[in-house]
Amino acid sequence: WGLFRTNKNKLLSKKKMVNSKGYRNKTRSMFSRDFRAHGMEHLSTYLVTYKVGDYVDVKVNGAIHKGMPHKYYHGKTGRVFNVTKRAIGIEVNKRVGNRIIYKRIHARVEHVRKSRCKEDFKRRVAINKRRLSDGLRPIKRLPSRPKGEKVVSLKHKPQTISALKYDPMY
């Protein structure tokens, strides 16, 4: 591949295309908008109220370039530590080597949405409060029990299955 001759008998190296490692490399499908969801962002995105301590998901909107977080944080869930006029400060865990680092990033509201990660927990808390007020004990999540026993009837005699001997066909 490497070398070729020119008309003056000089050896030149063949130019190869480099694998660029830019800020947005390998984000073609990650930052693309969904089917039939192109165009301007809806107004409801800007009207969501974020408070310090809320859990949020980072989901980058490729149509808005300002305030876009790095591709690493796309799909990550973090906690709000700062709310400004147009952006939100998010604390996200980042695994670097064998340790987890607490990173603080700022992203515009277009690239953030409220997380649903605590919904099940909040639902269980409400149910347990109701049970306590009724005088019942709270329900704890338990691992699934082993399956019950079954009786297998043998109407037909069991068959023994074994592999066939390899037979080349040439």
Side-chain angles (χ1 to χ4, degrees):
W1 256 139
L3 304 173
F4 65 94
R5 290 186 186 274
T6 60
N7 54 0
K8 295 182 180 179
N9 269 346
K10 289 184 180 177
L11 289 173
L12 297 174
S13 63
K14 195 170 186 181
K15 301 215 183 228
K16 290 184 182 177
M17 201 178 253
V18 294
N19 185 12
S20 62
K21 296 283 193 293
Y23 195 75
R24 285 184 64 170
N25 80 316
K26 298 184 179 177
T27 59
R28 181 177 179 169
S29 60
M30 189 188 295
F31 288 175
S32 65
R33 304 294 302 274
D34 292 333
F35 180 61
R36 288 200 214 144
H38 299 271
M40 291 300 294
E41 191 61 34
H42 298 289
L43 189 61
S44 59
T45 306
Y46 300 98
L47 297 175
V48 178
T49 306
Y50 295 97
K51 296 176 183 173
V52 175
D54 286 351
Y55 282 93
V56 292
D57 296 329
V58 178
K59 187 176 185 294
V60 175
N61 184 349
I64 290 129
H65 299 160
K66 278 191 170 185
M68 185 184 280
H70 190 263
K71 64 185 176 186
Y72 173 84
Y73 301 103
H74 180 77
K76 299 280 185 280
T77 301
R79 217 160 177 189
V80 175
F81 76 91
N82 186 21
V83 179
T84 61
K85 199 173 182 182
R86 293 180 190 87
I88 291 166
I90 310 156
E91 291 177 332
V92 185
N93 288 335
K94 181 176 183 180
R95 188 184 176 128
V96 180
N98 62 346
R99 65 197 191 279
I100 294 174
I101 301 175
Y102 223 41
K103 302 285 280 191
R104 287 184 153 195
I105 61 168
H106 277 83
R108 277 197 168 206
V109 289
E110 297 97 323
H111 308 293
V112 170
R113 61 183 55 183
K114 285 207 171 184
S115 181
R116 299 178 62 190
C117 65
K118 299 279 269 181
E119 275 185 4
D120 184 50
F121 171 72
K122 288 179 181 176
R123 184 184 57 78
R124 281 188 289 111
V125 167
I127 289 171
N128 285 338
K129 274 187 182 175
R130 219 176 309 124
R131 287 182 63 89
L132 280 171
S133 65
D134 294 343
L136 301 169
R137 64 182 185 84
I139 297 174
K140 290 187 176 181
R141 288 187 300 170
L142 297 171
S144 59
R145 310 281 303 161
K147 292 181 180 175
E149 75 266 358
K150 291 182 182 177
V151 177
V152 179
S153 64
L154 295 174
K155 293 179 183 174
H156 305 289
K157 187 179 175 191
Q159 292 181 350
T160 306
I161 300 172
S162 60
L164 294 173
K165 186 177 179 240
Y166 175 68
D167 184 22
M169 295 175 57
Y170 42 82

